[in-house]
Each structure stands twice: as structure tokens, then as C-alpha cells.
């Protein structure tokens, strides 16, 4: 049994699409369905590739609305980290399930996650049907004496993610940041990730303090330091990058790493500098878009971040043509980075796509890409399909009431409500 879509609009043409075994088997004006196919009538709906939220901490839905409006380090050290010490697998599982509901409702089909109890994240991803790269943060307080323990924890976590995950949740490494890790741990991650051929996610150059601390401790800028410890490569996602300079961006491009910009979270935490996207583009850096965690955004609606990204960049270089809607959508669908794996909709590509409501007022007139980036929110998504499976149809997702109730219970149990 496959999934088929009839009469959808793709780039101005009316098309059909059929999925089998998780990939797009056929796509075109005439697509034959089979007798036992689930068929979606998509008249007046547009086909769009799924969005890729390339940096988040999904289970932090539990923290939403808790300790807002604080500086980053005060927020982390005094409010977030003490509660995170008390969290267990079930907290992370239900927090992530809630995040998955929000992402499915707003068109995200794949996300990159960094969070504690990452095997519980992987289990939630499998149950929700989304795709994700999941990894537990590695932190040793920049103390080499704590490195061995932190690295063995990361190794154990990797095994547990693999056991809990399956086809949809892939494991990775998540060294938290250069200011929370010793050089020993960073070098260990670089070696293990290469040996196991696994992706790495790290926060880099988010704040001016981080940049100043790196210059003081290592005598070089964050990207140069990361390169020296072996972590700047084609398998690495660098979240934020606000304070990177041109030389760092050129090095990142040379090494093939991906920078993921999180414009809304950067604005909310007032980091004071916009990711220098146009310089990164000139240097040839692969770029993705993320929400960052729902504790610091607080939304998981990636279209809102796409609009903020485009507007900030235009304003930054005082040029309204600096970033177009089409380019913004390419970034938001993971198509500007080989690592993020976004693809055009075509036979053989993973069957991860959305049907958006062309009759909604925000999309009824004008070009689709401009409508999606500048006018619409995730609520225009009618149907979300991942690996050929419809996770939402007509904006209905199964089991939402239970997920909301369980997430509320877990937040209350942690004293967050
Ligand atoms: Zn983050």
C-alpha cells in the first residue's frame, strides 16, 4: 500500500504524486494509483518540500513561558540547568512529543535536536513519525578531569539512541559549546565522529562573551579553535555563528561545515549581532535555519523564523533584494546544505512534503514562495507527509489531546507550572 496525492499544484502545474517505501515513486501530470493506496485529493493545494528545523532542543516545550526575558547565562545557570538536573526520560519523551505535534502542524518534517536523555527523544521521534538527528549534549565544565566521564556518557548515550531509534531518529554527537568543554573532550568527539561517520552539532559564536573568552583562553577566534581541535568538517552543524568574521566564514566554507542561523532566538536573547549571512553566502558557506529551543524562541513554527531571517538580513545590509523569498525557502527546507539533506520533490527523493492551502487568504494571491515566507504562518499547512506517511491530514493529528495532557503533567511535576 502506498500514499498517493491527486491534483496538487507544483510550480504552477497540476500534478499527482505516489509514494512507496518512503520515497517518491512517481510524480507528474499522470500518476497511476494502485487499488489499496491511501489517496489524498489535493485540489487547490500546493505541494511544498518539508521544512528542516536544523537546530532545536525539542523537549524544552516544557520550559515554554518559564523564566522568559533574561540574559542567556543567567537564564541557563539559574533557571534552566537546575531543573534539567531533575528531568527524566518521561519528561523528555512527552516534551518532545509535544514539540513534534507543533512541528507537524507547521510543516517541519525533519529536525536536529540536542538534549538530555536523547534516547527518549529518539523514541518520541519514532512514535511521532518525524525524522530527526538526536544527540545528548556533552559538557565537562571545561575541566579535563571531568572529560573522561563526559565522553563515556556520550558514548553510552549513542548506544541508547541507536537502540531506541530506528529508521527515523539518527544518532549524532552534540558537544555543547567551546566554553563548556575542555580541549580533550572536543578532540575526543572529533575522533569518534570520524570513526563512526556520525554528524556533530555544536553551538558556536553565539555571544560576544563567547568570542572574547575564546580569544583570551586560546588566542584565536572560535572557528579557528574548532578547526584546530579537528571539529570543523562537512559533518558538523554550527548553531548561531552571530559573531563569526569573514576569515572564519571562509575557513568554514573551505572545511564544508554548515552554519545554522536561529534569528528569533538570537533576537529574544539579545545577542547584539545578526549572523552575517550575505558574507557567509559570498564565502560559499552551507547554511540552514533553526528555531533553537522552545524555551528561547518560544515557537517551533519555522516559517516565522524564515520571515525574521529574511527581514533581518535585508535590513542588516540595507538592501531589500539581499535575500529573496525563494532563497529563504531553500534555506528553510535544508536545500542549501548537503548535510541537512533537503531535496527537490522528484522521483527517488524521500517522500517528505507538505500540502498547503492555496485558498487560505495569505496564499490566495501572488507567488507561493513570497506568500509562505512573508504572509503565512504554519497554519496554512493542511497535510504533512514524512517518509510517505501522512502524519497530519486536514490539520488533524491523532492523539494530540493525550500528548498535551501528558506534557502538562510532566511540566507540573518539574515545578514549571
Ligand atoms: Zn541551542
Amino acid at each position: 500500500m502506498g500514499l498517493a496525492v491527486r491534483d496538487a499544484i507544483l510550480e504552477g502545474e497540476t500534478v499527482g504524486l505516489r509514494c512507496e517505501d518512503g520515497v517518491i515513486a512517481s510524480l507528474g501530470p499522470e500518476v497511476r494509483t494502485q487499488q489499496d493506496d491511501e489517496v489524498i485529493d489535493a485540489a487547490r493545494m500546493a505541494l511544498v518540500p518539508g521544512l528542516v528545523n536544523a537546530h532545536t532542543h525539542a523537549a524544552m516545550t516544557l520550559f515554554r513561558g518559564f523564566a522568559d526575558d533574561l540574559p542567556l547565562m543567567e537564564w541557563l545557570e539559574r533557571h534552566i540547568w537546575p531543573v534539567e538536573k531533575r528531568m527524566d526520560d518521561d519528561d523528555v519523551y512527552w516534551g518532545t512529543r509535544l514539540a513534534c505535534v507543533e512541528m507537524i502542524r507547521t510543516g517541519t518534517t525533519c529536525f536536529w535536536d540536542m538534549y538530555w536523555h536523547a534516547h527518549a527523544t529518539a523514541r518520541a521521534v519514532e512514535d511521532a513519525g518525524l525524522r530527526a538527528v538526536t544527540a545528548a549534549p556533552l559538557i565537562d565544565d571545561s575541566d579535563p578531569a571531568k572529560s573522561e566521564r563526559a565522553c563515556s556518557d556520550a558514548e553510552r548515550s549513542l548506544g541508547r539512541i541507536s537502540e531506541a531509534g530506528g529508521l527515523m531518529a539518527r544518532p549524532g554527537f552534540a558537544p555543547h559549546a567551546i566554553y563548556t568543554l575542555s580541549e580533550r573532550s572536543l578532540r575526543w568527539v572529533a575522533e569518534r565522529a570520524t570513526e563512526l561517520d556520525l554528524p556533530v552539532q555544536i553551538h558556536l559564536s553565539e555571544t560576544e562573551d563567547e568570542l572574547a573568552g575564546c580569544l583570551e583562553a586560546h588566542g584565536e577566534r572560535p572557528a579557528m579553535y574548532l578547526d584546530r581541535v579537528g571539529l570543523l568538517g562537512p559533518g558538523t552543524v554550527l548553531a548561531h555563528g552571530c559573531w563569526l568574521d569573514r576569515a572564519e566564514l571562509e575557513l568554514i566554507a573551505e572545511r564544508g561545515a554548515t552554519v545554522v542561523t536561529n534569528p528569533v532566538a538570537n533576537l529574544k536573547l539579545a545577542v547584539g549581532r545578526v549572523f552575517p549571512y550575505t558574507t557567509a553566502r559570498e564565502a560559499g558557506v552551507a547554511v540552514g535555519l533553526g528555531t533553537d529551543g522552545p524555551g528561547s524562541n518560544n515557537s517551533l513554527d519555522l516559517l516565522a523564523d524564515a520571515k525574521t531571517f529574511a527581514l533581518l538580513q535585508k535590513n542588516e545590509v540595507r538592501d531589500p533584494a539581499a535575500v529573496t523569498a525563494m532563497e529563504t525557502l531553500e534555506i528553510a527546507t535544508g536545500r542549501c546544505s548537503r548535510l541537512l539533506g533537503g531535496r527537490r520533490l522528484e522521483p527517488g527523493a524521500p517522500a517528505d512534503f507538505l500540502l498547503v492551502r492555496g485558498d487560505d487568504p495569505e496564499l490566495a494571491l501572488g507567488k507561493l514562495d513570497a506568500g509562505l515566507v512573508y504572509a503565512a504562518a504554519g497554519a496554512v499547512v493542511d497535510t504533512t507527509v514524512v517518509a510517505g506517511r501522512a502524519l497530519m491530514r486536514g490539520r488533524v493529528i491523532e492523539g494530540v489531546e493525550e500528548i498535551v495532557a501528558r506534557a502538562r503533567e510532566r511540566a507540573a511535576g518539574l515545578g514549571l507550572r
Side-chain angles (χ1 to χ4, degrees):
M1 180 179 150
L3 176 95
V5 173
R6 213 185 264 153
D7 295 334
I9 309 291
L10 178 65
E11 290 157 13
E13 308 284 322
T14 301
V15 297
L17 175 154
R18 187 168 183 280
C19 321
E20 206 170 283
D21 300 328
V23 300
I24 298 174
S26 48
L27 172 69
E30 309 262 331
V31 166
R32 282 212 192 117
T33 56
Q34 294 185 10
Q35 210 173 18
D36 57 354
D37 280 349
E38 177 185 353
V39 180
I40 299 174
D41 176 7
R44 294 183 301 285
M45 290 201 269
L47 257 176
V48 180
L51 304 175
V52 176
N53 184 349
H55 178 67
T56 189
H57 313 275
M60 292 187 82
T61 48
L62 300 185
F63 289 89
R64 182 177 281 144
F66 168 77
D68 284 304
D69 312 324
L70 294 169
L72 174 64
M73 290 321 289
E74 185 185 340
W75 178 70
L76 283 175
E77 287 171 359
R78 293 185 51 189
H79 301 277
I80 301 299
W81 288 345
V83 180
E84 285 184 336
K85 287 200 174 77
R86 305 199 299 271
M87 289 175 86
D88 65 17
D89 289 3
D90 285 345
D91 295 321
V92 170
Y93 177 84
W94 289 107
T96 306
R97 286 300 303 271
L98 186 65
C100 289
V101 166
E102 292 179 46
M103 288 193 266
I104 293 165
R105 280 164 62 89
T106 52
T108 289
T109 54
C110 176
F111 66 101
W112 285 61
D113 198 78
M114 178 195 292
Y115 210 60
W116 308 108
H117 307 269
H119 52 282
T121 309
R123 195 158 49 82
V125 166
E126 295 293 331
D127 291 348
L130 281 170
R131 286 185 207 275
V133 176
T134 57
L138 199 151
I139 291 179
D140 69 8
D141 303 328
S142 305
D143 179 356
K146 294 182 185 173
S147 171
E148 205 169 315
R149 169 85 188 271
C151 295
S152 64
D153 285 352
E155 188 80 43
R156 193 166 53 247
S157 169
L158 212 59
R160 296 186 76 185
I161 296 169
S162 300
E163 280 167 27
L167 287 173
M168 306 304 279
R170 289 195 296 135
F173 285 103
H176 173 263
I178 56 173
Y179 58 89
T180 50
L181 281 163
S182 63
E183 191 171 323
R184 183 192 183 278
S185 291
L186 291 167
R187 287 184 182 279
W188 178 84
V189 172
E191 273 172 34
R192 286 301 281 151
T194 304
E195 279 167 16
L196 300 170
D197 193 22
L198 289 177
V200 175
Q201 319 174 40
I202 185 167
H203 296 110
L204 192 79
S205 209
E206 181 175 4
T207 64
E208 194 172 16
D209 281 353
E210 177 186 342
L211 169 61
C214 185
L215 286 168
E216 197 185 317
H218 309 294
E220 58 196 337
R221 297 180 69 95
M224 279 66 181
Y225 174 59
L226 207 63
D227 188 47
R228 189 162 58 78
V229 299
L231 264 176
L232 205 60
T236 303
V237 155
L238 312 167
H240 301 298
C242 304
W243 292 84
L244 295 170
D245 71 3
R246 182 178 288 272
E248 288 179 287
L249 290 163
E250 283 169 359
L251 180 65
I252 289 167
E254 208 178 301
R255 298 288 186 263
T258 294
V259 179
V260 172
T261 178
N262 303 267
V264 173
N266 295 154
L267 286 170
K268 184 161 183 259
L269 289 164
V271 302
R273 195 161 182 260
V274 173
F275 165 60
Y277 170 70
T278 52
T279 311
R281 185 179 58 195
E282 268 168 40
V285 174
V287 174
L289 182 68
T291 56
D292 212 348
S296 65
N297 182 305
N298 301 358
S299 168
L300 289 162
D301 183 345
L302 198 70
L303 285 181
D305 300 72
K307 178 172 182 174
T308 306
F309 163 76
L311 302 192
L312 269 178
Q313 295 299 335
K314 288 168 191 288
N315 189 61
E316 186 68 10
V317 295
R318 299 186 184 190
D319 177 6
V323 185
T324 64
M326 188 184 289
E327 184 176 351
T328 303
L329 260 193
E330 295 211 343
I331 292 169
T333 51
R335 284 181 285 172
C336 295
S337 154
R338 192 174 296 172
L339 181 59
L340 300 180
R343 296 267 302 267
R344 274 173 55 82
L345 297 178
E346 58 192 357
D352 298 357
F353 59 85
L354 318 172
L355 292 168
V356 299
R357 302 176 180 199
D359 282 349
D360 276 7
E362 299 87 349
L363 300 182
L365 302 166
K367 288 186 181 159
L368 179 67
D369 50 8
L372 285 171
V373 174
Y374 299 136
V380 297
V381 178
D382 178 273
T383 299
T384 301
V385 175
V386 181
R389 194 173 143 218
L391 305 181
M392 176 173 79
R393 281 188 67 172
R395 292 204 62 73
V396 176
I397 303 170
E398 279 175 32
V400 172
E401 294 77 10
E402 191 203 349
I403 293 167
V404 171
R406 298 297 294 272
R408 279 189 174 138
E409 272 170 31
R410 304 312 303 189
L414 291 166
L416 294 168
R417 288 174 59 83

